[in-house]
Amino acid sequence: MADEFVVDDTKFRSVDLSKIGAFIDKAPEMINEFEAIKNKFNSINRELLKEWNGEGADEYKFEAESILSKIGSLKDVLDEITGGTIKDLRETYSKFDEDMGIFNANPFEEE
């Protein structure tokens, strides 16, 4: 994640946080797409079960509901990731980037 480049014989280091930001920015779109898939799944199941009665229909409905409960909410998962792990990662790399800025300003000083 750290890149080095040279300007006038001086080595600089930089950190690219754009992928972390892109993931955070993309999360709402992923949530919407996931919810659309779940809504379509529910719509298909409602239509299917309108005319289907009996033990087979009951078993199918139970399995479909079980699947939905197991996959849960992508929003909850992404909120946890972006609000916790990714936030911590971004803060850590931002601090590293700040440290690299100090280093780049004084690359010949001993640490």
Side-chain angles (χ1 to χ4, degrees):
M1 202 124 190
D3 293 321
E4 293 186 355
F5 58 95
V6 177
V7 176
D8 295 330
D9 297 326
T10 302
K11 188 186 300 186
F12 291 91
R13 298 178 189 154
S14 68
V15 175
D16 179 8
L17 299 175
S18 63
K19 297 219 185 286
I20 293 172
F23 177 82
I24 292 169
D25 292 344
K26 183 105 173 132
E29 182 183 336
M30 290 186 290
I31 291 167
N32 289 338
E33 289 175 10
F34 184 75
E35 288 302 315
I37 291 168
K38 281 177 49 177
N39 288 338
K40 184 68 174 173
F41 181 77
N42 284 327
S43 175
I44 290 168
N45 286 332
R46 276 192 303 276
E47 284 298 312
L48 181 62
L49 292 168
K50 269 186 190 177
E51 303 295 326
W52 188 10
N53 296 305
E55 195 173 310
D58 293 341
E59 185 63 28
Y60 176 83
K61 182 178 179 184
F62 174 80
E63 290 299 325
E65 289 172 354
S66 176
I67 289 168
L68 286 174
S69 71
K70 286 178 183 173
I71 59 176
S73 167
L74 183 62
K75 181 181 185 322
D76 293 342
V77 172
L78 287 178
D79 282 350
E80 183 65 31
I81 291 171
T82 58
T85 307
I86 296 295
K87 180 182 174 195
D88 293 345
L89 184 65
R90 188 179 216 179
E91 287 173 5
T92 299
Y93 275 106
S94 291
K95 175 65 175 132
F96 178 68
D97 189 44
E98 182 181 318
D99 293 345
M100 289 298 96
I102 293 167
F103 172 83
N104 288 339
N106 302 297
F108 301 108
E109 280 188 16
E110 289 292 319
E111 293 186 25

